[in-house]
Amino acid sequence: MALLRLRLVAARGAAHYNLLMSENTVPRRAFLGGVTAVTALSYSRVMGANDRVQLGLIGCGERGRGDMGNFVKTGNVDVVALCDIYAAQIDRAKQTAPNARSFSDHRKLLDLKEVDAALIGVPDHWHTVIAIDALNAGKDVYVEKPLTLKIEEGPPVVKAARVNNRICQVGMQQRSGKHYLEAKHEYLDAGKLGKITLARTWWHGNSYHLRKAPAELQTQPSNLDWAHYLGPLKWRDWDPQQYYNWRAYLDFGGGQVTDLFTHWIDVVHMFMGQDIPTSAVAAGGVYNYKDGRTAPDTINVLLEYPAQFTATFEATLVPGITGAGIEFCGTQGKLYIDRGRYEFTPVGRGAQPTVVRASTNLDRDHIENFLACLKSRKLPNGDVLIGHRSAQASHLGNIAYMQKRRIDFDPVREEILPF
């Protein structure tokens, strides 16, 4: 397994933290590929303050088109290329980008010298492959979370970003949310919660994991390349559910843990200044939706961190409970936060909470941060190493679930310890 040999030093800034990568942490083949790709940097022009970003979208599904729309709304982006294995998705994306060139193979899009940045909105099993290809082609990258499908994919994609000196933003938009940053500064950094021993997270009733393929997909469309969609996965015949509702299948993603917990554990990492667990346990299963899915419909994950606190995740798809949020539980009070607000409640009988509502669009703020970094060349808020660490924590939960055991993890070497 490729390993990152770094130690998090919380007192250091993000810029120093992200420069501690050892040159020896990625397999030689991946490293040489990155070095060879440095010649591709000539494709990437130095952007001035008034330059418009030329964007290529890879993965024109609902999330990819949504991200693309937010890029366009900034007023500083031209979408010049679109890629998808299903032509109907490209047709939908062309409603926003009618003049963009169309491709079915992402490598052809990345060959375009005019493309400054790649927006990657494909299913999880393609995230790392395409991100590395884009970085090696000299493109800056905005990739949806989770960054990786498997825990071992993290170091190579971090290395590709560093070797090629590219900006790589992972779509963990809470990192750019103004009310998240405000709550962290006001309560965590100021120590108003006291000693925090527990960070509770939950996400209930996410109906996106229960989607049913529409009638037009019951037979494979002639303009949908199923073999290309499968990519590195083993062959199986056309299955409309595995295409349309891929989040329900562990071949394509990590279920609710990597799709949802990755967002919340990233907030925990951001607020607590620790991003590598020392242990993971999990339990759950397909308890209700016996529809062929392999990802559990109900799951609980518990992670332990070196600073002597635990982080938990609770999720179920059954409709009897809905909602999502995070609670930081300390000796002096409790901080609740979600995408709409935060609430601080101090310890004491009859204490009244302080409530602050969100006032901006998280997705837009995160994209604006990425675009600013394309010009400044500073590390973005959701940098690739941050994305790796949050995906890694989620993967540990899934590994504990699959192996039905406690996982002990070395936070310095970043490797699972033997039994």
Side-chain angles (χ1 to χ4, degrees), residues 52-343:
R52 296 178 64 81
V53 174
Q54 308 300 294
L55 184 72
L57 169 61
I58 302 171
C60 299
E62 185 175 320
R63 183 62 187 177
R65 297 196 305 272
D67 285 339
M68 177 184 67
N70 281 322
F71 269 93
V72 170
K73 287 174 184 176
T74 66
N76 299 314
V77 174
D78 298 318
V79 180
V80 297
L82 302 167
C83 178
D84 202 280
I85 56 89
Y86 185 21
Q89 299 285 44
I90 294 178
D91 291 341
R92 295 182 181 104
K94 276 186 171 290
Q95 296 177 20
T96 300
N99 298 320
R101 296 175 62 180
S102 301
F103 299 90
S104 60
D105 188 326
H106 72 276
R107 294 168 296 186
K108 299 295 185 182
L109 182 150
L110 295 173
D111 282 341
L112 297 179
K113 294 183 180 181
E114 62 266 31
V115 170
D116 299 312
L119 167 58
I120 301 173
V122 295
D124 297 358
H125 69 297
W126 273 107
H127 280 186
T128 303
V129 173
I130 296 177
I132 291 175
D133 284 348
L135 294 164
N136 285 345
K139 312 303 182 185
D140 294 313
V141 169
Y142 187 108
V143 55
E144 270 300 338
K145 65 92 213 56
L147 177 64
T148 55
L149 175 69
K150 299 178 181 179
I151 197 168
E152 63 267 22
E153 292 176 337
V157 68
V158 174
K159 190 69 173 183
R162 298 297 186 258
V163 166
N164 291 294
N165 195 27
R166 295 293 89 197
I167 302 299
C168 185
Q169 176 92 297
V170 183
M172 299 177 302
Q173 58 268 42
Q174 291 77 217
R175 287 272 174 172
S176 298
K178 290 182 172 58
H179 75 290
Y180 283 93
L181 297 170
E182 180 181 296
K184 177 181 181 295
H185 174 75
E186 182 69 22
Y187 295 103
L188 274 294
D189 297 346
K192 293 180 181 178
L193 290 175
K195 167 65 176 176
I196 298 170
T197 63
L198 170 65
R200 297 179 56 232
T201 80
W202 62 94
W203 204 309
H204 299 304
N206 189 288
S207 59
Y208 217 71
H209 287 247
L210 299 175
R211 300 194 309 161
K212 299 296 183 183
E216 60 266 25
L217 290 177
Q218 296 309 307
T219 300
Q220 180 182 342
S222 60
N223 57 356
L224 190 157
D225 189 344
W226 174 243
H228 194 158
Y229 175 81
L230 291 176
L233 303 182
K234 67 180 181 181
W235 176 259
R236 74 286 314 267
D237 290 334
W238 167 251
D239 185 325
Q241 280 300 106
Q242 291 192 49
Y243 170 75
Y244 191 75
N245 192 32
W246 55 266
R247 288 174 178 83
Y249 301 89
L250 292 176
D251 278 355
F252 299 95
Q256 296 178 90
V257 178
T258 60
D259 190 48
L260 305 176
F261 184 42
T262 296
H263 276 304
W264 281 176
I265 197 60
D266 186 60
V267 175
V268 174
H269 291 173
M270 174 186 174
F271 279 35
M272 297 297 293
Q274 295 233 323
D275 61 1
I276 309 178
T278 55
S279 70
V281 295
V286 181
Y287 295 152
N288 185 64
Y289 295 99
K290 310 292 186 178
D291 55 4
R293 68 181 59 238
T294 57
D297 59 30
T298 302
I299 192 162
N300 289 266
V301 175
L302 186 152
L303 306 178
E304 186 176 14
Y305 286 79
Q308 297 185 333
F309 71 91
T310 61
T312 65
F313 177 62
E314 179 184 280
T316 183
L317 299 177
V318 299
I321 183 172
T322 59
I326 306 170
E327 284 183 343
F328 293 91
C329 307
T331 56
Q332 299 300 316
K334 175 185 73 175
L335 177 69
Y336 168 88
I337 191 163
D338 62 23
R339 288 174 172 172
R341 74 186 193 281
Y342 68 82
E343 298 181 7

